[in-house]
Amino acid sequence: DAGSSISLEVLTGPSAGNRLLRTLPEDGGLALSIGRISQNDLVLNDSEVSGKHAVINWNCDVSRWELVDLGSLNGTLLNHRSISISGPRRRRSAPVGLTSGDVLTLGSTSQILVHLSASKDAKFSVSSVPFGVGVAADAMTSRREKLSMEDVCHCEWPLRGLQQFGVFCIFDGHGGPAAAEAASRILPQKLSDILTVEGERIDVLTQCDAAKVLKDAFKETEEALNCEYEGCTATVLLLWSSVGQEYFVQCANLGDSSCVLSVGGKPVVLTEDHRLTSPTERARLLEMGRKLKDGETRICGMNIARALGDKFLKEEESCFSAEPYVSKVLKITKDSKGIVVMGSDGLWDVLSPIRAIQLAIEARDGRSTIDGRMPLPPMNAEEIAQLLVGNARLLKTKDNTSVIVLDFFPASATNNPSVCTL
């Protein structure tokens, strides 16, 4: 966890533009105070902010940043919901976990954007990742004032000690972040539990197909989720290694987050679009006896009919499903210059998969330019992920945007963290 960083940017109020960046030290101890007086780490020159208003701590036990209101006079909001304790006596609030893209409101005008970056040291580290990994995320809060971060990314190599396997996931929550956060914990563990069984693991390696493993992991995750009114999309890329730096990848997904791979210069989309505007999804519903009217794009307010969670909706409407689409297995060889882009719908709302992978390849190969003129140096996976999120921002996406980039071209492989969750 040492090396995790937190950035605070004041968006509105008298101190708009102020920034604070801190990195977690080796001992894991860090507390950031926010308030009006100069002794605070982040000073807000706002008469509605208390002298010592709030504090952000790193909780080593659960590996997360937590916000606490220090009994402020005018209260603290997290994504427009109060965390303060009401009553005649001013008291500290209970700690509340933070995610990247959260917005804090102190008083009535001072808003602070939270950005969290993953640790440079893995939580479950066994060895360094033998290929490039980049993760970037942005709530795009400035586009819609009340937009909170509901995306969760999870990257893990090797998978819980299974030296040949790794998993890379994006979960996009709706109705809140709870389902996405729970799925990011449960699904990788279910994959690990299944692959720990020798017979299951050997079948994947010898038959070169993990479809059954992925479907079973999705089914067990759905059964374990206790989310009546919240749900999430899930895009899960399972990767396993072979001899000579060769890899096999297979993807399973629910919803509208996507994954695209370029291998040998050929782009391949590894996911299926489960929005109700998708012909394949409309055909599935028709087979179930649910014919959608022309122009009908939502059922019970949902624009997708496949997701994890949403237990109440699934009880009310049989057309809602947690059965994932599973791609074919693709092989990435040492010379194929393979690169993967995974993204939540905030990316795909403004960029096509083909354009996104094209931008990634150009950036990796040093063919990107500024304003079509000034060339940029080759980028690593982390920089490519940031570039794609930046493009989504410039194109004015209106949704949370999360991106994972995997770069299998040997020249760009770096020692990346083996596990990170954003």
Side-chain angles (χ1 to χ4, degrees):
D1 298 332
S4 296
S5 64
I6 181 169
S7 171
L8 304 176
E9 178 185 359
V10 184
L11 299 175
T12 61
S15 298
N18 285 3
R19 295 171 182 264
L20 176 69
L21 174 64
R22 290 288 186 272
T23 301
L24 194 66
E26 291 292 335
D27 62 9
L30 184 63
L32 303 177
S33 58
I34 307 171
R36 194 178 66 254
I37 61 177
S38 59
Q39 289 87 347
N40 289 288
D41 295 288
L42 181 62
V43 178
L44 301 177
N45 186 23
D46 184 341
S47 60
E48 294 186 5
V49 172
S50 298
K52 293 184 177 181
H53 194 107
V55 65
I56 296 174
N57 298 299
W58 175 260
N59 187 329
C60 296
D61 294 332
V62 293
S63 296
R64 72 175 185 179
W65 297 95
E66 294 180 336
L67 172 69
V68 175
D69 179 87
L70 297 176
S72 64
L73 179 62
N74 292 311
T76 301
L77 306 182
L78 173 60
N79 299 323
H80 305 276
R81 293 182 180 179
S82 176
I83 69 164
S84 307
I85 296 178
S86 59
R89 296 181 58 189
R90 293 162 60 183
R91 294 180 292 162
R92 291 172 64 105
S93 71
V96 180
L98 294 175
T99 59
S100 196
D102 283 342
V103 175
L104 319 181
T105 305
L106 281 64
S108 63
T109 63
S110 291
Q111 291 191 324
I112 302 169
L113 175 65
V114 178
H115 179 72
L116 308 179
S117 295
S119 168
K120 298 301 181 184
D121 295 313
K123 295 177 188 175
F124 310 116
S125 179
V126 176
S127 60
S128 296
V129 180
F131 45 85
V133 179
V135 184
D138 194 322
M140 302 296 172
T141 303
S142 60
R143 300 293 170 199
R144 289 167 60 190
E145 186 179 348
K146 295 185 178 182
L147 194 65
S148 60
M149 189 58 164
E150 296 177 332
D151 290 357
V152 179
C153 299
H154 184 90
C155 306
E156 189 168 350
W157 177 277
L159 175 61
R160 314 288 158 103
L162 294 166
Q163 297 295 324
Q164 289 180 268
F165 291 88
V167 67
F168 301 86
C169 318
I170 292 181
F171 304 94
D172 180 1
H174 47 261
E181 291 171 354
S184 73
R185 296 189 300 269
I186 297 169
L187 204 151
Q189 186 60 54
K190 295 297 183 183
L191 281 171
S192 174
D193 292 344
I194 295 169
L195 289 169
T196 300
V197 178
E198 186 176 9
E200 297 278 7
R201 186 170 67 254
I202 290 175
D203 283 347
V204 172
L205 296 174
T206 56
Q207 298 175 18
C208 199
D209 189 350
K212 180 179 180 299
V213 170
L214 286 163
K215 288 181 179 180
D216 287 349
F218 269 73
K219 180 182 178 182
E220 292 179 18
T221 300
E222 171 72 1
E223 292 170 351
L225 280 174
N226 185 25
C227 296
E228 287 292 312
Y229 303 102
E230 293 187 41
C232 68
T233 71
T235 299
V236 177
L237 184 72
L238 184 66
L239 186 152
W240 60 97
S241 62
S242 183
V243 295
Q245 287 188 301
E246 293 181 345
Y247 300 92
F248 295 93
V249 295
Q250 193 166 20
C251 193
N253 83 289
L254 295 168
D256 53 2
S257 296
S258 296
C259 176
V260 58
L261 161 70
S262 174
V263 59
K266 180 182 179 181
V268 182
V269 178
L270 300 178
T271 45
E272 186 176 80
D273 185 1
H274 294 150
R275 286 176 293 187
L276 296 180
T277 53
S278 165
T280 55
E281 195 63 4
R282 294 178 82 89
R284 180 184 72 86
L285 294 177
L286 185 59
E287 287 181 5
M288 297 179 62
R290 179 65 183 264
K291 184 178 181 180
L292 297 177
K293 300 176 183 177
D294 290 343
E296 187 177 3
T297 60
R298 291 182 178 270
I299 298 176
C300 298
M302 297 284 291
N303 70 340
I304 56 174
R306 287 201 239 185
L308 293 171
D310 296 320
K311 299 298 178 70
F312 177 79
L313 284 179
K314 288 168 182 171
E315 291 173 359
E316 296 294 312
E317 285 278 358
S318 61
C319 64
F320 287 102
S321 170
E323 179 71 22
Y325 167 82
V326 180
S327 74
K328 295 180 179 179
V329 177
L330 288 177
K331 184 178 181 180
I332 302 174
T333 64
K334 184 177 180 180
D335 300 323
S336 64
K337 296 187 177 181
I339 189 167
V340 171
V341 174
M342 304 176 67
S344 60
D345 60 336
L347 180 69
W348 311 117
D349 286 346
V350 293
L351 279 176
S352 71
I354 302 304
R355 180 55 180 155
I357 203 74
Q358 181 184 26
L359 288 171
I361 293 171
E362 289 174 354
R364 180 190 64 185
D365 296 344
R367 293 188 282 116
S368 294
T369 61
I370 299 176
D371 297 329
R373 296 188 298 273
M374 185 181 298
L376 293 171
M379 298 184 189
N380 60 30
E382 185 73 25
E383 292 167 333
I384 296 170
Q386 294 286 354
L387 173 74
L388 292 172
V389 169
N391 268 268
R393 187 184 303 109
L394 288 173
L395 293 169
K396 298 184 179 181
T397 186
K398 294 180 173 64
D399 204 350
N400 300 157
T401 303
S402 298
V403 174
I404 298 173
V405 173
L406 308 181
D407 183 4
F408 297 90
F409 188 37
S412 60
T414 57
N415 289 332
N416 286 275
S418 51
V419 176
C420 65
T421 302
L422 288 177

